Amino acid sequence: MDVANATVFITGANRGLGLAFAREARRRGAKKIYAGMRNTGGFEESGVVPVRVDVTDKASISAAAELAADTSLLVNNAGIAALIDGPLASDVEAQSIRMFETNYYGVVRVTQAFERILLTKPHAAIINVLSDIVWLPRPYLTPYAASKAAAWSFTNQLRFHLREQDVQVLGLHVGFVDTDLTSGIDVAKASPEDVVRQTYDALAAGKSEVMADRGTAMLKGTLAAEVPGYITPPPGL
Ligand SMILES: NC(=O)c1ccc[n+]([C@@H]2O[C@H](COP(=O)([O-])OP(=O)(O)OC[C@H]3O[C@@H](n4cnc5c(N)ncnc54)[C@H](OP(=O)(O)O)[C@@H]3O)[C@@H](O)[C@H]2O)c1
C-alpha cells in the first residue's frame, strides 16, 4: 500500500515514532491523518487530526474507531517500556501485566475495533510497531520483551488470517530509536524519521516486515543458525 492513497490512524502519535509516522504520512500526501493520543490538549500539527484514544480503554478505542471510520491504514504504535533487575526480579509480574496491557492487549483491542472498517476498504493495511527485542536477550527488559514477542506472534497470526481478505500486515522490527522511550540510555540510536521512511517504503513495496536498522537485520539473519542470536547475540549487539 502506498501511504499517499491512505487515510491513516496512528496510536501514540503525539510524540516519538508515532509523531514521525504522522509527519511522514503528511509529507507523502496521505488523504487524511488521525493522530491517536491519550491527551489531545495542546496538540497542534498542521494537516493532522488529533483523536483521543487510550489503548487500555475499550470505550475510547470504540469512540476513536467510530470517528475515524474512513481509516485504511492502521498503525499500532503506542507502547511503553520499563527496566527491571532481570527475569526473576520481584516486580517482574507487575511490570509484565502493565506492559502486556498496552503493548499486547492494546494492539489486539485496537485491531479488533478497526477490523470491520479496514475490511470495507478496497486497499487496507496494518503496521504493528514491534522491536528487535523479540529475538534479543536483554534480561533488564524482560517484561517489555515478552509483551513485544506476544505482539509479534499476534502480528503473524493476523497477517495469515487477513491475507485472504487483501489486508496487508507489516511488522516493524527495530533496535534503539532516538525517542523519549530511550532518553536515559546512552547508545547509538536510529532516527525516528529514518525508521518511518523505511517502514512506509516497505509497505509500498508490498512487504510483510521490515528490519529498520543494521543490527536488527543482522540479528534476524542468525535465526536459522545453530546458535541463533536469541541464544548468543552476534558481536556488537
Ligand atoms: N524507542 C525505541 O528504541 C523503540 C525501539 C523499538 C520499538 N519501539 C516501539 O515504538 C513505539 C513508539 O515508542 P517511542 O519510542 O516513540 O516511545 P515514546 O516516545 O515514549 O512514545 C510512546 C507513545 O505511546 C503512547 N502511549 C503509551 N501508552 C499509551 C496508551 N495506553 N494509550 C495510547 N497511547 C499510549 C505515549 O503517549 P503519552 O504521551 O500519553 O505517554 C506516546 O505517544 C512503541 O511501541 C515502542 O515499543 C521503540
Side-chain angles (χ1 to χ4, degrees), residues 131-150:
S131 174
D132 66 348
I133 201 73
V134 306
W135 304 302
L136 195 60
R138 290 280 184 263
Y140 58 88
L141 282 169
T142 296
Y144 177 70
S147 68
K148 285 293 185 183

Side-chain angles (χ1 to χ4, degrees), residues 10-19 35-38 53 55 75 77-79:
I10 306 150
T11 62
N14 52 311
R15 59 193 174 98
L17 214 46
L19 182 57
M37 60 193 77
R38 287 193 277 203
V53 66
V55 303
V75 184
N77 166 77

Side-chain angles (χ1 to χ4, degrees), residues 11-19 36-39 53-57 76-81 101-103 129-133 144 148 172-182 189:
T11 62
N14 52 311
R15 59 193 174 98
L17 214 46
L19 182 57
M37 60 193 77
R38 287 193 277 203
N39 179 7
V53 66
D54 180 333
V55 303
T56 65
D57 170 17
N76 282 308
N77 166 77
I80 54 172
E101 262 305 303
T102 298
N103 298 348
V129 179
L130 305 167
S131 174
D132 66 348
I133 201 73
Y144 177 70
K148 285 293 185 183
L172 159 61
H173 297 264
V174 65
F176 288 114
V177 184
D178 194 6
T179 67
D180 295 344
L181 196 89
T182 60
K189 298 168 192 174

Side-chain angles (χ1 to χ4, degrees), residues 18-221:
L19 182 57
F21 270 112
R23 287 181 172 159
E24 181 63 13
R26 180 156 181 265
R27 208 187 61 76
R28 293 186 183 217
K31 285 188 197 149
K32 194 164 184 183
I33 301 146
Y34 296 107
M37 60 193 77
R38 287 193 277 203
N39 179 7
T40 55
F43 181 88
E44 263 184 47
E45 184 77 21
S46 158
V48 178
V49 182
V51 178
R52 206 195 86 73
V53 66
D54 180 333
V55 303
T56 65
D57 170 17
K58 268 193 176 174
S60 81
I61 296 170
S62 304
E66 203 167 309
L67 193 142
D70 49 348
T71 298
S72 59
L73 169 60
L74 169 66
V75 184
N76 282 308
N77 166 77
I80 54 172
L83 307 184
I84 65 168
D85 282 343
L88 304 177
S90 59
D91 58 348
V92 67
E93 183 178 348
Q95 289 290 11
S96 298
I97 290 169
R98 210 166 73 78
M99 298 294 116
F100 269 78
E101 262 305 303
T102 298
N103 298 348
Y104 178 67
Y105 293 112
V107 173
V108 173
R109 287 183 199 106
V110 174
T111 309
Q112 278 183 319
F114 278 82
E115 181 198 12
R116 189 186 43 79
I117 290 167
L118 296 176
L119 288 180
T120 60
K121 306 297 180 294
H123 300 288
I126 300 170
I127 295 173
N128 284 349
V129 179
L130 305 167
S131 174
D132 66 348
I133 201 73
V134 306
W135 304 302
L136 195 60
R138 290 280 184 263
Y140 58 88
L141 282 169
T142 296
Y144 177 70
S147 68
K148 285 293 185 183
W152 175 47
S153 175
F154 178 73
T155 303
N156 294 334
Q157 305 300 341
L158 183 72
R159 182 184 298 113
F160 201 73
H161 174 69
L162 292 177
R163 188 166 288 169
E164 303 270 285
Q165 287 148 96
D166 266 345
V167 179
Q168 184 183 355
V169 175
L170 178 85
L172 159 61
H173 297 264
V174 65
F176 288 114
V177 184
D178 194 6
T179 67
D180 295 344
L181 196 89
T182 60
S183 61
I185 307 173
D186 188 19
V187 290
K189 298 168 192 174
S191 86
E193 293 75 20
D194 183 52
V195 170
V196 165
R197 269 194 300 272
Q198 289 190 56
T199 306
Y200 283 152
D201 286 350
L203 193 74
K207 294 193 175 164
S208 296
E209 59 182 12
V210 56
M211 307 296 131
D213 61 12
R214 275 192 57 229
T216 306
M218 186 167 64
L219 183 61
K220 193 194 163 202

